[in-house]
Amino acid sequence: MPATPASLLTGPGLPDGSAGIRLVVTDMDGTLLDDAKRIPEGLWPMLGELRRRGVLFSPASGRQYATLARQFAEAADGMVFIAENGTYVVRDGVELSSDPLDRSVVAGLARTVRRLVAGGVDVGAVVCGKRSAYVERTDEAFLAEVRQYYVEHRIVEDVTAVDDDVIKVALFDFGPAERSTAPALDAFSATHQVVVSGEHWVDVMNPTANKGAALRGLQRELGITPAQTMVFGDYLNDLEMLDAAEWSFAMAGAHPEVIRRARHLAPSNNDNGVLRTIARVLGIPEV
């Protein structure tokens, strides 16, 4: 078990061997992005410097592949996108791995959400396919949340009838998901991953699917070790990913369990923590 994280900027504890880092993987919301959901301006020159040094940069997010590809369009060549919490991994438009859900599970989740709504819970389901996300709710408040993470989405009458490989089902709860929607999914947690991925989001995936499993598969494919991997995260869906890297950083203000599991602590997402950490560890002048 890693020790309590040492402060990156003020304390000791960073391991030796930073020159051997070949892969940097970062969560998006609450980690790379600030609270206004903005990519730091300094990222683009940083990506150029990492590419020059032969270091691969990989966003790892609950967001869909199409959303990530659009956000990183100006630097996407050769970049590996770990999308949908690790259920869909793509490089240069080519699928590297995926982990689709059984249709019966999707149908069961849809029924559960419909029962919650009938009981007064303000929740909606996003059925995440490889080509698009699919929703039944049509109110603008819900769709505004969906658009932040799923640029490719369609409103359908029945989410269980879509013609697509479903890789994840995400539930958005306008209340605190950890206290309301997540407990209603206990029946699924015995056989599937039920992960609180944000204050209002719960993701359901196959038991074999998470960001860590996707990262380990990528490491095997590229011949990169945990000692050569740097990872940043802030929430519960990042835990397995942090375990796959010796250079694991929790953001200041991260979920307490994330801080406990990470080896080191980075400045917060609002303090440009990811870029400042990369710059310090790799000896790159901050821009």
Side-chain angles (χ1 to χ4, degrees):
M1 184 69 62
T4 301
S7 170
L8 173 69
L9 297 183
T10 60
L14 288 176
D16 295 329
S18 61
I21 289 175
R22 296 176 55 199
L23 175 62
V24 174
V25 183
T26 181
D27 173 54
M28 293 289 286
D29 297 276
T31 302
L32 179 66
L33 306 183
D34 65 17
D35 286 350
K37 308 297 184 184
R38 296 174 298 201
I39 291 177
E41 285 298 322
L43 177 65
W44 309 114
M46 174 70 76
L47 290 179
E49 178 61 20
L50 291 177
R51 190 182 298 267
R52 188 185 69 79
R53 294 180 179 216
V55 178
L56 180 65
F57 181 90
S58 178
S61 176
R63 294 173 179 238
Q64 73 178 168
Y65 166 62
T67 301
L68 294 173
R70 178 178 295 185
Q71 288 179 290
F72 289 92
E74 64 183 86
D77 288 351
M79 186 177 288
V80 175
F81 295 98
I82 300 175
E84 304 281 17
N85 277 331
T87 60
Y88 194 39
V89 182
V90 181
R91 187 177 194 179
D92 293 330
V94 177
E95 176 183 319
L96 300 183
S97 65
S98 64
D99 200 344
L101 284 166
D102 188 273
R103 288 285 177 168
S104 64
V105 175
V106 178
L109 288 165
R111 289 193 297 269
T112 298
V113 171
R114 291 164 187 163
R115 284 196 297 269
L116 287 170
V117 171
V121 180
D122 195 1
V123 62
V126 184
V127 171
C128 306
K130 291 181 180 179
R131 296 192 301 273
S132 179
Y134 306 89
V135 299
E136 294 176 352
R137 266 183 81 157
T138 61
D139 58 290
E140 179 55 30
F142 176 71
L143 292 176
E145 299 295 337
V146 171
R147 281 193 290 267
Q148 290 188 61
Y149 307 97
Y150 303 94
V151 297
E152 293 289 343
H153 64 274
R154 304 174 192 172
I155 299 171
V156 297
E157 289 187 9
D158 182 359
V159 292
T160 68
V162 299
D163 182 20
D164 201 348
D165 288 330
V166 176
I167 48 181
K168 185 186 76 177
V169 176
L171 282 63
F172 181 83
D173 187 332
F174 281 91
E178 200 166 3
R179 295 206 302 264
S180 51
T181 295
L185 302 175
D186 280 347
F188 296 93
S189 62
T191 56
H192 287 75
Q193 293 270 351
V194 178
V195 182
V196 179
S197 58
E199 182 180 359
H200 301 286
W201 288 97
V202 182
D203 293 335
V204 182
M205 304 167 291
N206 279 330
T208 50
N210 57 65
K211 291 182 183 180
L215 174 54
R216 291 184 191 278
L218 180 62
Q219 288 168 327
R220 287 192 298 270
E221 179 166 335
L222 300 178
I224 294 174
T225 68
Q228 296 170 315
T229 306
M230 179 185 293
V231 167
F232 298 88
D234 78 303
Y235 221 80
L236 298 175
N237 59 328
D238 299 320
L239 289 173
E240 294 87 354
M241 182 171 71
L242 293 169
D243 292 342
E246 290 187 14
W247 294 77
S248 59
F249 293 87
M251 310 306 292
H255 190 287
E257 178 63 13
V258 174
I259 293 176
R260 188 182 72 83
R261 286 270 279 274
R263 293 173 182 265
H264 304 283
L265 189 65
S268 79
N269 61 312
N270 290 318
D271 291 327
N272 207 15
V274 170
L275 297 193
R276 291 171 65 192
T277 303
I278 295 171
R280 172 174 170 179
V281 174
L282 293 184
I284 299 173
E286 290 191 51
V287 292

